[in-house]
Amino acid sequence: MSTTTLPQGRSERFPFELVRPQLERVEASIRDQIRAFDPAVEPYVSYVCNTSGKRIRPALSILIGGALGSVDEGHVKLGVILELIHMATLVHDDIIDGATTRRMVPTANAKWGAGLSVLLGDALFSHALALATEFNDIGICRKVGLASREVCEGEMIQTQRRFDLTLTKADYFRIIEMKTGALFAAATGIAAAISGADAATEAKLFDYGLKLGTVYQIYDDCLDLVGSEETVGKTLRTDLEKGKLTLPILNLLENSSEAQRSKLNKRIIEQQALDLPVLVGIAEYEGAIESAVDTGLAMLGTCRNHLTGLPGGDYVEALEQITRFLGALLEKCRR
């Protein structure tokens, strides 16, 4: 089976079909959480929550529970908490990036401005952390809090290091592990803790989530260069405009000719937008995308290795299939 082949007889909806009843409970709980806000705030929260995506983090939490033997209410609660945190980060990200659309609809920032949107993100963060205190295990609450802090720190460091030519690939991976990987890792690692997994199994599943989230960000970084806004449904090229040195750009700087590198470095030092026509005109551009895709595919292989020996049958297959879906999306980024 190749990296991107899907299991025979399984549809692309299989992982989500498997946990559909629990995801419906997540949706119902999110609606309950919306109603918990003050009536004056509720419409804003509702707008953000109703423009969200596939609920991948709740799905991961539930799938890990199944892969380790059984899904209980704790896995559903964790999914709700992490989804609220994720939505808070999206609100803040869109403010920072100046994004005007997400999933084909206006962002909160585009509708209401930065001031109200910052407070909306803060409200979602704080509500999620309050929900985490409902776990009887203080260790779980602490892990949720640490994951939230990692996300915020990662975004701060990335913002701080825009247009920074000293950024290394190690720096890049640490940043995306924090800003994207942390919530995936929380979904899988904390779910394992809820299931009572031993320390070694929890560590493996934490790393599964961390690497899956990291690859998801690599995919998003490639998509920012090669995708179309009509197809993707969100504002693209913001990485280029804001001077974010993503993996494809770092690959390009590493492998381009000295003259081309000097040209790129000059634009970065002067904090000029790295517009796409300039990049496409560099011979090594396609190779930079290819290398980023290959890096992501290798990490997905490690994710699958971490699933070896888990007892949960279909749930384990679903976790593996998620890596193959993501691998297929990465492959589409090749030029």
Side-chain angles (χ1 to χ4, degrees), residues 11 20 27 73 83-84 104 124 169 182 202 209 216 226 260 272 286 333:
S11 75
R20 179 57 50 198
E27 294 294 341
E73 195 57 37
E83 194 66 6
L84 290 173
M104 305 291 189
L124 287 166
K169 286 185 182 179
E202 182 180 341
Y216 188 86
V226 304
Q260 292 165 336
Q272 300 177 37
E286 291 187 10
C333 291

Side-chain angles (χ1 to χ4, degrees), residues 87-142:
M87 287 186 282
T89 67
L90 295 184
V91 172
H92 286 167
D93 285 354
D94 288 339
I95 298 166
I96 294 166
D97 293 337
T100 57
T101 60
R102 182 177 290 277
R103 302 187 182 100
M104 305 291 189
V105 299
T107 61
N109 184 43
K111 283 180 71 69
W112 302 303
L116 192 146
S117 298
V118 167
L119 295 172
L120 174 58
D122 291 347
L124 287 166
F125 261 121
S126 57
H127 188 73
L129 296 177
L131 282 179
T133 65
E134 295 179 5
F135 282 105
N136 291 329
D137 185 347
I138 189 64
I140 291 174
C141 185
R142 182 180 297 113

Side-chain angles (χ1 to χ4, degrees), residues 1 4 10 34 48-49 67 91 97 103-104 115 118 138 145 153 160 203 244 266-267 301 322 324:
M1 185 182 290
T4 57
R10 295 296 194 187
I34 292 170
V48 173
C49 291
V91 172
D97 293 337
R103 302 187 182 100
M104 305 291 189
V118 167
I138 189 64
E153 288 181 342
Q160 177 192 39
K244 292 182 184 177
K266 183 175 183 295
R267 295 182 73 90
I322 285 173
R324 298 197 183 278

Side-chain angles (χ1 to χ4, degrees), residues 157-169:
I157 296 168
Q158 182 177 68
T159 302
Q160 177 192 39
R161 301 203 63 182
R162 288 175 176 179
F163 298 102
D164 184 352
L165 283 171
T166 68
L167 188 83
T168 65
K169 286 185 182 179

